[in-house]
Amino acid sequence: MRGTKVKLPFEDLGELLNRLGGVPPERICLDPFPGTATKRDLLRKHGQPRKLYELVEGTLVEKPMGHVESIVAAELVALLGTFVTRYELGYFTGADDLVELMPKVVRGPDVSFTSWVQRPERTADTNAISKVIPSLVVEVLSEKNSRGEITRKLKDYFFAGVRLAWVIDPRKRTAEAYAAPDEAVAIPADGTLDGGDVLPGFTVPLAALFAKLPAPAAKKQPRRKKK
């Protein structure tokens, strides 16, 4: 109705960005106005034009996914897919997936695995926005991801029932494995991702995910001052 005021869940843009975990303003979609977006809006905008979004705090937040992040995610999907298919464990999805974690929170993990334990009928959910909570989710960090954003995502994932989360940093070539939002195991560049109780027997060296990327540039040594 014209003239009807909409009560927003935040007072100003600063409060919204803070609640989203310090997301850069350029990733906030203004159509529809922040605080008023719905799942219908998410489906309308998702992938158009070539942008992926998540729905948080009634706001469409662009999901950053660059060339390097896509390569790393694709390598993981290939390795994970071979293992999951061989042992008929469930199904996996890529970055354009949408999962409703809570009534007003829809996330799109870069990679996810859903066990057939979650789907006893052994068929994948085909809804545009799935309500089936994955067993494993993976976030491949972009330069535009803030630490606060990832912290909030992890809380959302585990509150909804996710059992394992991997956060991969392609620039540092390291990762973190989470069994809870505040239980992180740091994995160094020469370390290995382990499926644990979620994917028993699945392991992948981090180096395998970065094998197709150029070697990191060597750090320049500071010049010594002449005496």
Side-chain angles (χ1 to χ4, degrees):
M1 183 181 297
R2 184 175 297 178
T4 301
K5 288 187 176 181
V6 177
K7 178 62 177 176
L8 299 177
F10 49 87
E11 290 294 328
D12 52 43
L13 180 59
E15 182 183 346
L16 171 62
L17 296 178
N18 185 59
R19 291 174 66 161
L20 293 174
V23 171
E26 61 267 24
R27 287 177 50 204
I28 303 299
C29 181
L30 299 181
D31 174 26
F33 192 79
T36 68
T38 65
K39 288 185 286 186
R40 181 176 295 179
D41 294 314
L42 175 61
L43 291 175
R44 173 174 61 88
K45 298 285 290 188
H46 194 61
Q48 304 293 328
R50 299 184 301 278
K51 287 186 177 181
L52 303 179
Y53 291 94
E54 296 179 315
L55 175 64
V56 193
E57 299 282 351
T59 302
L60 298 185
V61 182
E62 183 185 350
K63 178 178 171 59
M65 194 69 178
H67 186 57
V68 171
E69 296 88 349
S70 295
I71 291 172
V72 173
E75 289 295 323
L76 181 57
V77 165
L79 296 167
L80 183 65
T82 299
F83 184 87
V84 169
T85 301
R86 179 187 300 164
Y87 297 105
E88 300 181 351
L89 301 175
Y91 63 94
F92 50 93
T93 65
D96 52 354
D97 189 24
L98 292 172
V99 181
E100 183 174 346
L101 302 179
M102 288 167 265
K104 296 183 180 181
V105 178
V106 180
R107 295 290 190 183
D110 294 321
V111 180
S112 75
F113 160 72
T114 302
S115 168
W116 287 141
V117 174
Q118 301 287 92
R119 300 281 292 176
E121 61 271 41
R122 299 177 75 83
T123 57
D125 181 18
T126 58
N127 290 315
I129 298 178
S130 177
K131 291 188 177 182
V132 179
I133 306 302
S135 311
L136 163 70
V137 296
V138 183
E139 292 288 337
V140 182
L141 296 181
S142 162
E143 290 180 334
K144 292 185 178 181
N145 283 128
S146 69
R147 188 69 229 184
E149 175 188 11
I150 297 302
T151 297
R152 166 146 189 179
K153 280 192 175 189
L154 289 168
K155 290 179 180 178
D156 290 345
Y157 284 138
F158 284 101
F159 182 83
V162 168
R163 296 172 55 201
L164 178 63
W166 293 336
V167 178
I168 301 173
D169 189 332
R171 285 153 192 86
K172 295 181 180 179
R173 305 201 175 192
T174 59
E176 293 175 330
Y178 290 83
D182 55 354
E183 294 182 16
V185 175
I187 303 173
D190 59 353
T192 299
L193 289 171
D194 190 311
D197 294 335
V198 174
L199 280 169
F202 178 76
T203 60
V204 55
L206 276 184
L209 302 182
F210 310 127
K212 291 184 174 63
L213 300 178
K219 292 184 179 180
K220 293 183 178 180
Q221 297 295 326
R223 292 182 178 180
R224 294 183 179 181
K225 293 183 179 180
K226 293 182 180 180
K227 294 183 179 181

